[in-house]
Amino acid sequence: MSETFTIIDGHSLIYQSFYAIRDLTAPTGEPTNAVFGFLGQLKKLLAGNPDYIVVALDLPGPTFRHKMYADYKATRKPMSEELSTQMPMIEELLRAYRIRVVTKAGYEADDIIATLARHAERDGCQVEIVTTDKDSEQLISDNIRIVNNRRDRITDLAALKETKGITPEQVIEVMALAG
């Protein structure tokens, strides 16, 4: 049986947790909703006993895409202060669990996830990418699947074909046509 490599799209899971649980604070009044929700999702993933697990995060600052197109993500709102104050706590939590955080200046977490997934697949691992990012569906293969942890939904080759009627190679085209 192949080893399992779980790659968590950190910001995807953090944002989900932040918006799913509202108005949760520490006794000091500082917000903790994202930390609490993220920990719950992390424990659920760890219960599956993956052989390897990492969290990919974006770093602040421009990426190579910003250099190619100055208005890349220009309309995206910055992270709220209520959430950004929780990021150090989430990073501390990951250190306590001894889960490696992978980042790279000039690259997005999506780039890191794709690179790690393809390398792990080549090394014979079964890869689970924990994200709600539809772009990740282009990575699906016999050994790579997408996990929506909150909804307990797995998208593999068969599920992608059944739900959307497409293959991973068609994901980019469908997204481009849909806008």
Side-chain angles (χ1 to χ4, degrees):
M1 189 158 162
S2 298
E3 294 177 307
T4 303
F5 185 42
T6 299
I7 306 168
I8 300 171
D9 181 346
H11 283 101
S12 174
L13 201 56
I14 291 165
Y15 272 94
Q16 282 178 54
S17 301
F18 178 73
Y19 288 106
I21 302 168
R22 303 301 298 166
D23 303 321
L24 185 64
T25 60
T28 59
E30 66 184 317
T32 56
N33 56 318
V35 178
F36 180 78
F38 184 82
L39 176 59
Q41 292 299 312
L42 183 61
K43 288 169 106 176
K44 187 175 173 184
L45 289 165
L46 291 172
N49 294 314
D51 295 292
Y52 309 100
I53 187 168
V54 298
V55 174
L57 288 173
D58 296 321
L59 288 175
T63 68
F64 71 92
R65 288 179 182 86
H66 291 95
K67 292 175 184 169
M68 292 170 54
Y69 180 62
D71 289 336
Y72 179 69
K73 293 191 178 180
T75 60
R76 181 168 282 184
K77 294 178 186 175
M79 183 183 291
S80 73
E81 185 177 337
E82 187 180 342
L83 178 54
S84 66
T85 61
Q86 296 180 65
M87 291 302 294
M89 289 184 277
I90 291 170
E91 290 171 5
E92 185 177 335
L93 173 79
L94 290 167
R95 280 191 299 277
Y97 272 88
R98 294 184 174 187
I99 295 174
R100 181 157 180 192
V101 174
V102 184
T103 60
K104 181 150 179 68
Y107 292 86
E108 294 181 353
D110 294 351
D111 303 311
I112 295 165
I113 291 166
T115 301
L116 291 174
R118 292 295 188 213
H119 281 283
E121 179 182 39
R122 257 194 313 259
D123 290 343
C125 288
Q126 291 294 314
V127 180
E128 294 186 340
I129 301 171
V130 182
T131 188
T132 55
D133 187 345
K134 294 176 194 161
D135 291 347
S136 294
E137 291 174 344
Q138 65 189 295
L139 299 171
I140 294 171
S141 71
D142 287 331
N143 300 308
I144 299 174
R145 60 192 197 161
I146 307 299
V147 176
N148 181 326
N149 200 44
R150 197 176 56 134
R151 296 186 188 259
D152 291 323
R153 183 180 310 143
I154 294 172
T155 305
D156 57 12
L157 286 169
L160 184 63
K161 187 70 170 171
E162 183 180 321
T163 59
K164 296 188 177 180
I166 59 173
T167 65
E169 295 78 20
Q170 295 170 309
V171 168
I172 295 171
E173 295 170 32
V174 170
M175 292 182 77
L177 290 170

Coordinates of all heavy atoms in Angstrom, one line a residue, residues 91-179:
E91 N 0.4 29.5 13.1 CA 1.8 29.0 12.8 C 2.4 28.4 14.1 O 3.1 27.3 14.0 CB 2.6 30.2 12.3 CG 2.2 30.6 10.9 CD 2.9 31.9 10.4 OE1 3.7 32.4 11.1 OE2 2.5 32.3 9.3
E92 N 2.1 28.9 15.3 CA 2.6 28.3 16.5 C 2.0 26.9 16.7 O 2.6 26.0 17.1 CB 2.3 29.2 17.7 CG 2.8 28.8 19.0 CD 2.6 29.7 20.1 OE1 2.4 31.0 19.9 OE2 2.5 29.3 21.3
L93 N 0.7 26.9 16.4 CA 0.0 25.6 16.5 C 0.6 24.5 15.6 O 0.8 23.4 16.0 CB -1.5 25.8 16.1 CG -2.4 24.6 16.0 CD1 -2.8 24.2 17.4 CD2 -3.6 25.0 15.2
L94 N 0.9 24.9 14.4 CA 1.5 24.0 13.5 C 2.9 23.5 14.0 O 3.3 22.4 13.8 CB 1.6 24.6 12.1 CG 0.2 24.7 11.4 CD1 0.4 25.6 10.2 CD2 -0.3 23.4 11.0
R95 N 3.7 24.5 14.5 CA 5.0 24.1 15.1 C 4.8 23.1 16.3 O 5.5 22.1 16.4 CB 5.7 25.3 15.6 CG 6.4 26.1 14.5 CD 7.4 27.2 15.1 NE 6.7 28.2 15.9 CZ 6.1 29.3 15.4 NH1 6.0 29.5 14.1 NH2 5.5 30.1 16.2
A96 N 3.8 23.3 17.1 CA 3.5 22.4 18.2 C 3.2 21.0 17.7 O 3.5 20.0 18.4 CB 2.4 23.0 19.1
Y97 N 2.5 20.9 16.6 CA 2.1 19.6 16.0 C 3.3 19.1 15.1 O 3.1 18.0 14.6 CB 0.9 19.7 15.2 CG -0.4 19.5 16.0 CD1 -1.0 20.6 16.6 CD2 -1.0 18.2 16.1 CE1 -2.2 20.4 17.3 CE2 -2.1 18.0 16.8 CZ -2.7 19.1 17.4 OH -3.9 18.9 18.2
R98 N 4.3 19.8 15.0 CA 5.5 19.5 14.2 C 5.1 19.3 12.7 O 5.5 18.3 12.1 CB 6.2 18.3 14.7 CG 6.8 18.5 16.1 CD 7.6 17.4 16.6 NE 8.3 17.8 17.8 CZ 9.1 17.1 18.4 NH1 9.5 15.9 18.0 NH2 9.7 17.6 19.5
I99 N 4.2 20.1 12.3 CA 3.8 20.1 10.9 C 4.5 21.2 10.1 O 4.5 22.4 10.5 CB 2.3 20.3 10.7 CG1 1.6 19.1 11.4 CG2 1.9 20.4 9.3 CD1 0.1 19.2 11.5
R100 N 5.2 20.8 9.1 CA 6.0 21.8 8.4 C 5.2 22.7 7.5 O 4.2 22.3 6.9 CB 7.0 21.0 7.4 CG 7.8 21.9 6.6 CD 9.1 21.3 6.2 NE 9.8 22.4 5.4 CZ 10.8 22.1 4.7 NH1 11.3 20.9 4.6 NH2 11.5 23.1 4.1
V101 N 5.5 24.0 7.6 CA 4.9 25.0 6.7 C 5.8 25.3 5.6 O 7.0 25.5 5.8 CB 4.6 26.3 7.6 CG1 4.1 27.4 6.7 CG2 3.6 26.0 8.7
V102 N 5.3 25.2 4.4 CA 6.1 25.4 3.2 C 5.7 26.7 2.5 O 4.5 26.9 2.2 CB 6.0 24.2 2.2 CG1 6.9 24.4 1.0 CG2 6.3 22.9 2.9
T103 N 6.7 27.6 2.3 CA 6.5 28.8 1.6 C 7.7 29.1 0.7 O 8.7 28.5 0.8 CB 6.4 30.0 2.6 OG1 7.6 30.1 3.3 CG2 5.3 29.9 3.6
K104 N 7.5 30.0 -0.3 CA 8.6 30.4 -1.1 C 8.3 31.8 -1.6 O 7.2 32.0 -2.2 CB 8.8 29.4 -2.3 CG 10.0 29.8 -3.2 CD 10.6 28.7 -3.8 CE 11.8 29.0 -4.7 NZ 12.9 29.6 -4.0
A105 N 9.2 32.7 -1.4 CA 9.0 34.1 -1.9 C 8.9 34.1 -3.4 O 9.6 33.4 -4.1 CB 10.2 34.9 -1.4
G106 N 7.9 34.9 -3.9 CA 7.7 35.0 -5.3 C 6.7 33.9 -5.9 O 6.4 34.0 -7.0
Y107 N 6.3 33.0 -5.0 CA 5.4 32.0 -5.5 C 4.2 31.9 -4.5 O 4.2 32.2 -3.4 CB 6.1 30.6 -5.5 CG 7.1 30.5 -6.5 CD1 8.4 31.0 -6.2 CD2 6.9 30.0 -7.8 CE1 9.4 30.9 -7.2 CE2 7.8 30.0 -8.8 CZ 9.1 30.4 -8.5 OH 10.1 30.4 -9.4
E108 N 3.0 31.5 -5.1 CA 1.8 31.3 -4.3 C 1.8 29.9 -3.8 O 2.5 29.0 -4.3 CB 0.6 31.5 -5.2 CG 0.4 32.9 -5.7 CD -0.8 33.1 -6.6 OE1 -1.5 32.1 -6.9 OE2 -1.1 34.2 -6.9
A109 N 1.0 29.7 -2.7 CA 0.8 28.3 -2.2 C 0.3 27.4 -3.3 O 0.8 26.2 -3.2 CB -0.2 28.4 -1.0
D110 N -0.5 27.8 -4.2 CA -0.9 26.9 -5.3 C 0.3 26.3 -6.1 O 0.2 25.2 -6.4 CB -1.8 27.7 -6.3 CG -3.1 28.2 -5.7 OD1 -3.4 27.8 -4.6 OD2 -3.8 29.0 -6.4
D111 N 1.3 27.1 -6.3 CA 2.5 26.7 -7.0 C 3.2 25.6 -6.2 O 3.7 24.6 -6.7 CB 3.4 27.8 -7.3 CG 2.7 29.0 -8.1 OD1 2.1 28.6 -9.1 OD2 2.8 30.1 -7.7
I112 N 3.3 25.9 -4.9 CA 4.0 25.0 -4.0 C 3.2 23.7 -3.9 O 3.8 22.6 -4.0 CB 4.1 25.6 -2.6 CG1 5.0 26.8 -2.6 CG2 4.6 24.6 -1.5 CD1 4.9 27.7 -1.4
I113 N 1.9 23.7 -3.8 CA 1.0 22.6 -3.8 C 1.2 21.7 -5.0 O 1.4 20.5 -4.9 CB -0.4 23.0 -3.5 CG1 -0.6 23.5 -2.1 CG2 -1.4 21.8 -3.8 CD1 -1.9 24.3 -1.9
A114 N 1.2 22.3 -6.2 CA 1.3 21.6 -7.4 C 2.7 20.9 -7.5 O 2.8 19.7 -7.9 CB 1.1 22.5 -8.6
T115 N 3.7 21.6 -7.1 CA 5.1 21.0 -7.2 C 5.2 19.9 -6.2 O 5.7 18.8 -6.6 CB 6.1 22.1 -6.8 OG1 6.0 23.2 -7.8 CG2 7.5 21.6 -6.9
L116 N 4.8 20.0 -5.0 CA 4.8 19.0 -4.0 C 4.0 17.8 -4.4 O 4.5 16.6 -4.3 CB 4.4 19.5 -2.6 CG 5.3 20.5 -1.9 CD1 4.6 21.0 -0.6 CD2 6.6 19.9 -1.6
A117 N 2.8 18.0 -4.9 CA 1.9 16.9 -5.3 C 2.6 16.1 -6.4 O 2.6 14.9 -6.4 CB 0.6 17.5 -5.8
R118 N 3.1 16.7 -7.5 CA 3.7 16.0 -8.6 C 5.0 15.2 -8.1 O 5.2 14.1 -8.6 CB 4.0 17.0 -9.7 CG 2.8 17.6 -10.4 CD 2.0 16.5 -11.1 NE 1.0 17.1 -11.9 CZ -0.2 16.6 -12.1 NH1 -0.5 15.4 -11.6 NH2 -1.1 17.3 -12.8
H119 N 5.8 15.8 -7.3 CA 7.0 15.1 -6.8 C 6.6 13.9 -5.9 O 7.2 12.8 -6.1 CB 7.9 16.1 -6.0 CG 8.7 17.0 -6.9 ND1 9.8 16.5 -7.5 CD2 8.6 18.3 -7.2 CE1 10.4 17.5 -8.2 NE2 9.6 18.6 -8.0
A120 N 5.6 14.1 -5.1 CA 5.1 13.0 -4.2 C 4.5 11.9 -5.0 O 4.8 10.7 -4.8 CB 4.1 13.5 -3.2
E121 N 3.8 12.3 -6.0 CA 3.2 11.3 -6.9 C 4.3 10.5 -7.6 O 4.2 9.2 -7.7 CB 2.3 11.9 -8.0 CG 1.6 11.0 -8.9 CD 0.8 11.7 -10.0 OE1 1.2 12.8 -10.5 OE2 -0.3 11.1 -10.3
R122 N 5.3 11.2 -8.1 CA 6.4 10.5 -8.8 C 7.1 9.5 -7.9 O 7.7 8.5 -8.3 CB 7.4 11.5 -9.3 CG 7.3 11.7 -10.8 CD 8.5 12.5 -11.3 NE 8.9 13.7 -10.6 CZ 8.6 14.9 -10.9 NH1 7.9 15.2 -12.0 NH2 8.9 15.9 -10.1
D123 N 7.1 9.9 -6.6 CA 7.8 9.0 -5.6 C 6.9 7.9 -5.1 O 7.3 7.2 -4.2 CB 8.2 9.9 -4.4 CG 9.4 10.8 -4.7 OD1 10.1 10.6 -5.7 OD2 9.6 11.8 -3.9
G124 N 5.7 7.8 -5.7 CA 4.8 6.7 -5.4 C 3.8 6.9 -4.3 O 3.2 5.9 -3.8
C125 N 3.6 8.1 -3.8 CA 2.7 8.4 -2.8 C 1.3 8.6 -3.3 O 1.1 9.0 -4.5 CB 3.1 9.7 -2.0 SG 4.5 9.6 -1.0
Q126 N 0.3 8.4 -2.5 CA -1.1 8.8 -2.8 C -1.2 10.2 -2.2 O -0.9 10.4 -1.0 CB -2.1 7.9 -2.1 CG -2.1 6.5 -2.7 CD -2.7 6.5 -4.1 OE1 -3.7 7.2 -4.4 NE2 -2.0 5.8 -5.0
V127 N -1.6 11.2 -3.0 CA -1.6 12.6 -2.5 C -3.0 13.0 -2.3 O -3.9 12.8 -3.2 CB -0.9 13.5 -3.6 CG1 -0.9 14.9 -3.1 CG2 0.5 13.0 -3.9
E128 N -3.2 13.7 -1.2 CA -4.5 14.3 -0.9 C -4.2 15.8 -0.7 O -3.4 16.2 0.2 CB -5.1 13.7 0.4 CG -5.5 12.3 0.2 CD -6.2 11.7 1.4 OE1 -6.1 12.3 2.5 OE2 -6.9 10.7 1.3
I129 N -4.9 16.6 -1.5 CA -4.7 18.1 -1.4 C -6.0 18.6 -0.8 O -7.1 18.4 -1.3 CB -4.6 18.7 -2.8 CG1 -3.3 18.2 -3.5 CG2 -4.5 20.2 -2.7 CD1 -3.2 18.6 -5.0
V130 N -5.8 19.2 0.4 CA -6.9 19.7 1.2 C -7.1 21.2 0.8 O -6.3 22.0 1.2 CB -6.7 19.6 2.7 CG1 -7.9 20.1 3.5 CG2 -6.4 18.1 3.0
T131 N -8.2 21.4 0.0 CA -8.5 22.8 -0.5 C -9.9 22.8 -1.0 O -10.5 21.8 -1.3 CB -7.5 23.2 -1.6 OG1 -7.6 24.5 -1.9 CG2 -7.6 22.3 -2.9
T132 N -10.4 24.1 -1.2 CA -11.6 24.3 -1.9 C -11.4 25.0 -3.2 O -12.3 25.5 -3.8 CB -12.6 25.1 -1.0 OG1 -12.0 26.3 -0.6 CG2 -13.0 24.3 0.2
D133 N -10.1 25.2 -3.5 CA -9.7 25.9 -4.7 C -10.0 25.1 -5.9 O -9.3 24.0 -6.1 CB -8.3 26.3 -4.6 CG -7.8 27.2 -5.8 OD1 -8.5 27.3 -6.8 OD2 -6.7 27.8 -5.6
K134 N -10.9 25.5 -6.8 CA -11.3 24.7 -8.0 C -10.1 24.5 -9.0 O -10.0 23.6 -9.7 CB -12.4 25.3 -8.7 CG -13.7 25.3 -7.9 CD -14.8 26.0 -8.6 CE -16.0 26.3 -7.7 NZ -16.8 27.4 -8.1
D135 N -9.1 25.5 -8.9 CA -8.0 25.4 -9.8 C -7.2 24.1 -9.6 O -6.6 23.5 -10.5 CB -7.0 26.6 -9.6 CG -7.6 27.9 -10.1 OD1 -8.6 27.9 -10.8 OD2 -7.0 28.9 -9.7
S136 N -7.2 23.6 -8.3 CA -6.5 22.4 -8.0 C -7.0 21.1 -8.7 O -6.3 20.1 -8.8 CB -6.5 22.2 -6.5 OG -5.8 23.2 -5.8
E137 N -8.2 21.2 -9.2 CA -8.8 20.0 -9.9 C -7.9 19.6 -11.1 O -8.0 18.5 -11.5 CB -10.2 20.3 -10.3 CG -11.1 20.4 -9.1 CD -12.6 20.8 -9.5 OE1 -12.8 21.3 -10.6 OE2 -13.4 20.6 -8.6
Q138 N -7.1 20.6 -11.7 CA -6.3 20.2 -12.8 C -5.2 19.3 -12.4 O -4.5 18.6 -13.3 CB -5.7 21.5 -13.5 CG -4.8 22.3 -12.6 CD -4.4 23.6 -13.2 OE1 -3.8 23.6 -14.2 NE2 -4.8 24.7 -12.5
L139 N -4.9 19.1 -11.1 CA -3.9 18.3 -10.6 C -4.3 16.8 -10.4 O -3.5 15.9 -10.2 CB -3.3 18.8 -9.3 CG -2.7 20.2 -9.3 CD1 -2.4 20.7 -7.9 CD2 -1.4 20.1 -10.2
I140 N -5.6 16.6 -10.4 CA -6.2 15.3 -10.1 C -5.6 14.2 -11.1 O -5.5 14.5 -12.3 CB -7.7 15.3 -10.2 CG1 -8.3 16.2 -9.1 CG2 -8.3 13.9 -10.1 CD1 -9.8 16.4 -9.2
S141 N -5.3 13.1 -10.5 CA -4.7 12.0 -11.4 C -5.1 10.7 -10.6 O -5.8 10.7 -9.7 CB -3.2 12.1 -11.5 OG -2.6 11.8 -10.3
D142 N -4.5 9.6 -11.1 CA -4.8 8.3 -10.5 C -4.3 8.3 -9.0 O -4.8 7.6 -8.2 CB -4.1 7.1 -11.2 CG -4.8 6.8 -12.5 OD1 -6.0 7.0 -12.6 OD2 -4.0 6.4 -13.4
N143 N -3.3 9.2 -8.7 CA -2.7 9.2 -7.4 C -2.9 10.5 -6.6 O -2.4 10.7 -5.5 CB -1.2 8.9 -7.5 CG -1.0 7.5 -8.1 OD1 -1.6 6.5 -7.6 ND2 -0.2 7.4 -9.1
I144 N -3.6 11.4 -7.2 CA -3.8 12.7 -6.6 C -5.3 13.0 -6.6 O -6.0 12.9 -7.6 CB -3.1 13.9 -7.3 CG1 -1.6 13.7 -7.4 CG2 -3.4 15.2 -6.7 CD1 -0.8 14.7 -8.2
R145 N -5.8 13.4 -5.4 CA -7.2 13.7 -5.3 C -7.4 14.9 -4.4 O -6.5 15.3 -3.6 CB -8.0 12.5 -4.7 CG -7.6 12.1 -3.3 CD -8.2 10.8 -3.0 NE -8.2 10.5 -1.5 CZ -8.9 9.7 -0.9 NH1 -9.8 8.9 -1.6 NH2 -8.8 9.5 0.4
I146 N -8.5 15.6 -4.5 CA -8.8 16.8 -3.8 C -9.7 16.5 -2.7 O -10.7 15.8 -2.9 CB -9.4 17.9 -4.7 CG1 -8.6 18.2 -6.0 CG2 -9.7 19.2 -3.9 CD1 -7.2 18.6 -5.7
V147 N -9.4 17.0 -1.5 CA -10.3 16.8 -0.3 C -10.9 18.1 0.2 O -10.1 19.0 0.5 CB -9.5 16.1 0.8 CG1 -10.3 15.9 2.1 CG2 -8.9 14.8 0.4
N148 N -12.2 18.1 0.3 CA -12.9 19.2 0.9 C -13.2 18.7 2.3 O -14.2 18.0 2.5 CB -14.1 19.6 0.2 CG -14.8 20.8 0.8 OD1 -14.9 20.9 2.0 ND2 -15.5 21.6 0.0
N149 N -12.4 19.0 3.3 CA -12.4 18.4 4.6 C -13.7 18.8 5.3 O -14.3 18.0 6.1 CB -11.2 18.9 5.4 CG -10.9 18.0 6.6 OD1 -11.0 16.8 6.5 ND2 -10.6 18.6 7.7
R150 N -14.1 20.0 5.1 CA -15.3 20.5 5.9 C -16.6 19.8 5.4 O -17.5 19.5 6.2 CB -15.4 22.0 5.7 CG -16.4 22.7 6.7 CD -16.3 24.2 6.5 NE -16.7 24.4 5.1 CZ -17.6 25.3 4.7 NH1 -18.1 26.1 5.6 NH2 -17.9 25.5 3.4
R151 N -16.7 19.5 4.1 CA -17.9 18.9 3.6 C -17.7 17.4 3.4 O -18.6 16.7 2.9 CB -18.2 19.5 2.2 CG -18.6 20.9 2.3 CD -19.1 21.5 1.0 NE -19.3 22.9 1.0 CZ -20.5 23.4 1.2 NH1 -21.5 22.7 1.3 NH2 -20.6 24.8 1.2
D152 N -16.5 16.9 3.8 CA -16.2 15.4 3.7 C -16.4 15.0 2.2 O -17.1 13.9 2.0 CB -17.1 14.6 4.6 CG -16.7 14.8 6.1 OD1 -15.5 14.9 6.4 OD2 -17.6 14.8 6.9
R153 N -15.9 15.8 1.3 CA -16.1 15.4 -0.1 C -14.7 15.2 -0.7 O -13.8 16.0 -0.5 CB -16.7 16.6 -0.8 CG -17.0 16.3 -2.3 CD -17.7 17.4 -3.0 NE -18.8 17.9 -2.3 CZ -19.2 19.2 -2.3 NH1 -18.5 20.1 -2.9 NH2 -20.3 19.6 -1.7
I154 N -14.6 14.1 -1.5 CA -13.3 13.8 -2.2 C -13.6 13.9 -3.7 O -14.6 13.3 -4.1 CB -12.8 12.4 -1.8 CG1 -12.4 12.4 -0.3 CG2 -11.7 12.0 -2.7 CD1 -12.1 11.1 0.3
T155 N -12.7 14.6 -4.4 CA -12.8 14.6 -5.8 C -11.6 13.9 -6.4 O -10.5 14.4 -6.3 CB -12.9 16.1 -6.3 OG1 -14.0 16.8 -5.6 CG2 -13.1 16.2 -7.8
D156 N -11.9 12.8 -7.0 CA -10.9 12.1 -7.7 C -11.3 12.1 -9.2 O -12.2 12.8 -9.6 CB -10.7 10.6 -7.2 CG -12.0 9.8 -7.2 OD1 -13.0 10.3 -7.8 OD2 -12.1 8.8 -6.6
L157 N -10.6 11.3 -10.0 CA -10.9 11.3 -11.5 C -12.4 11.0 -11.7 O -13.0 11.6 -12.5 CB -10.0 10.3 -12.2 CG -8.6 10.7 -12.4 CD1 -7.7 9.5 -12.8 CD2 -8.4 11.8 -13.3
A158 N -12.9 9.9 -11.1 CA -14.3 9.5 -11.3 C -15.3 10.6 -10.9 O -16.2 10.9 -11.6 CB -14.6 8.2 -10.6
A159 N -15.0 11.2 -9.7 CA -15.9 12.2 -9.2 C -15.9 13.5 -10.1 O -17.0 14.1 -10.3 CB -15.6 12.6 -7.8
L160 N -14.7 13.8 -10.6 CA -14.7 15.0 -11.5 C -15.4 14.8 -12.8 O -16.2 15.6 -13.2 CB -13.2 15.3 -11.8 CG -12.9 16.6 -12.7 CD1 -13.4 17.8 -12.0 CD2 -11.4 16.6 -13.0
K161 N -15.3 13.6 -13.3 CA -16.0 13.2 -14.5 C -17.5 13.2 -14.3 O -18.3 13.7 -15.1 CB -15.5 11.8 -15.0 CG -16.1 11.4 -16.4 CD -15.5 12.3 -17.5 CE -15.9 11.7 -18.8 NZ -15.5 12.7 -19.9
E162 N -17.9 12.6 -13.1 CA -19.3 12.5 -12.8 C -20.0 13.8 -12.5 O -21.1 14.1 -13.0 CB -19.5 11.6 -11.6 CG -21.0 11.3 -11.2 CD -21.1 10.4 -10.0 OE1 -20.3 9.4 -9.9 OE2 -22.0 10.7 -9.1
T163 N -19.3 14.7 -11.7 CA -20.0 15.9 -11.3 C -19.9 17.0 -12.4 O -20.8 17.8 -12.5 CB -19.4 16.4 -10.0 OG1 -18.0 16.7 -10.2 CG2 -19.6 15.5 -8.8
K164 N -18.7 17.1 -13.1 CA -18.5 18.2 -14.1 C -18.5 17.7 -15.5 O -18.5 18.5 -16.4 CB -17.3 19.0 -13.7 CG -17.4 19.7 -12.3 CD -16.3 20.6 -12.1 CE -16.5 21.3 -10.8 NZ -15.4 22.2 -10.5
G165 N -18.3 16.4 -15.7 CA -18.2 15.9 -17.0 C -16.9 16.2 -17.7 O -16.9 16.3 -19.0
I166 N -15.9 16.4 -17.0 CA -14.6 16.8 -17.6 C -13.5 16.0 -17.0 O -13.6 15.3 -16.0 CB -14.3 18.3 -17.4 CG1 -14.2 18.7 -15.9 CG2 -15.3 19.2 -18.1 CD1 -13.8 20.1 -15.6
T167 N -12.3 16.1 -17.7 CA -11.1 15.5 -17.2 C -10.2 16.6 -16.6 O -10.5 17.8 -16.8 CB -10.3 14.8 -18.3 OG1 -9.9 15.9 -19.2 CG2 -11.1 13.8 -19.0
P168 N -9.2 16.3 -15.8 CA -8.3 17.3 -15.2 C -7.7 18.2 -16.3 O -7.5 19.4 -16.1 CB -7.2 16.5 -14.5 CG -7.9 15.2 -14.1 CD -8.8 14.9 -15.3
E169 N -7.4 17.6 -17.5 CA -6.8 18.4 -18.6 C -7.7 19.5 -19.1 O -7.3 20.5 -19.7 CB -6.4 17.5 -19.7 CG -5.3 16.5 -19.4 CD -5.7 15.3 -18.5 OE1 -7.0 15.0 -18.5 OE2 -4.9 14.7 -17.9
Q170 N -9.0 19.3 -18.8 CA -10.0 20.3 -19.3 C -10.4 21.4 -18.3 O -11.1 22.3 -18.6 CB -11.3 19.5 -19.7 CG -11.1 18.6 -20.9 CD -12.3 17.7 -21.2 OE1 -12.8 17.1 -20.2 NE2 -12.7 17.7 -22.4
V171 N -9.9 21.2 -17.1 CA -10.3 22.2 -16.0 C -9.9 23.6 -16.4 O -10.8 24.5 -16.3 CB -9.6 21.8 -14.7 CG1 -9.7 22.9 -13.7 CG2 -10.2 20.5 -14.2
I172 N -8.7 23.9 -16.9 CA -8.3 25.2 -17.2 C -9.2 25.8 -18.3 O -9.7 27.0 -18.2 CB -6.8 25.3 -17.7 CG1 -6.0 24.9 -16.5 CG2 -6.5 26.7 -18.2 CD1 -4.5 24.7 -16.9
E173 N -9.5 25.0 -19.4 CA -10.4 25.5 -20.4 C -11.8 25.8 -19.9 O -12.3 26.9 -20.3 CB -10.5 24.4 -21.5 CG -9.2 24.1 -22.2 CD -9.3 22.9 -23.1 OE1 -10.4 22.6 -23.7 OE2 -8.3 22.2 -23.3
V174 N -12.3 25.0 -19.1 CA -13.7 25.2 -18.6 C -13.7 26.5 -17.7 O -14.6 27.3 -17.8 CB -14.2 24.0 -17.8 CG1 -15.5 24.3 -17.0 CG2 -14.4 22.8 -18.7
M175 N -12.7 26.7 -16.9 CA -12.6 27.9 -16.1 C -12.4 29.1 -16.9 O -13.0 30.2 -16.6 CB -11.5 27.7 -15.0 CG -11.8 26.6 -14.0 SD -10.6 26.5 -12.8 CE -11.0 27.9 -11.7
A176 N -11.6 29.0 -18.0 CA -11.4 30.2 -18.8 C -12.7 30.6 -19.5 O -13.1 31.7 -19.7 CB -10.4 29.9 -19.8
L177 N -13.5 29.5 -20.0 CA -14.7 29.8 -20.7 C -15.8 30.3 -19.8 O -16.6 31.2 -20.1 CB -15.3 28.5 -21.4 CG -14.4 28.0 -22.6 CD1 -14.9 26.6 -23.0 CD2 -14.6 29.0 -23.7
A178 N -15.8 29.9 -18.5 CA -16.8 30.3 -17.5 C -16.4 31.7 -17.0 O -17.3 32.4 -16.4 CB -16.8 29.3 -16.4
G179 N -15.2 32.1 -17.1 CA -14.8 33.5 -16.6 C -14.5 33.4 -15.2 O -14.6 34.2 -14.4

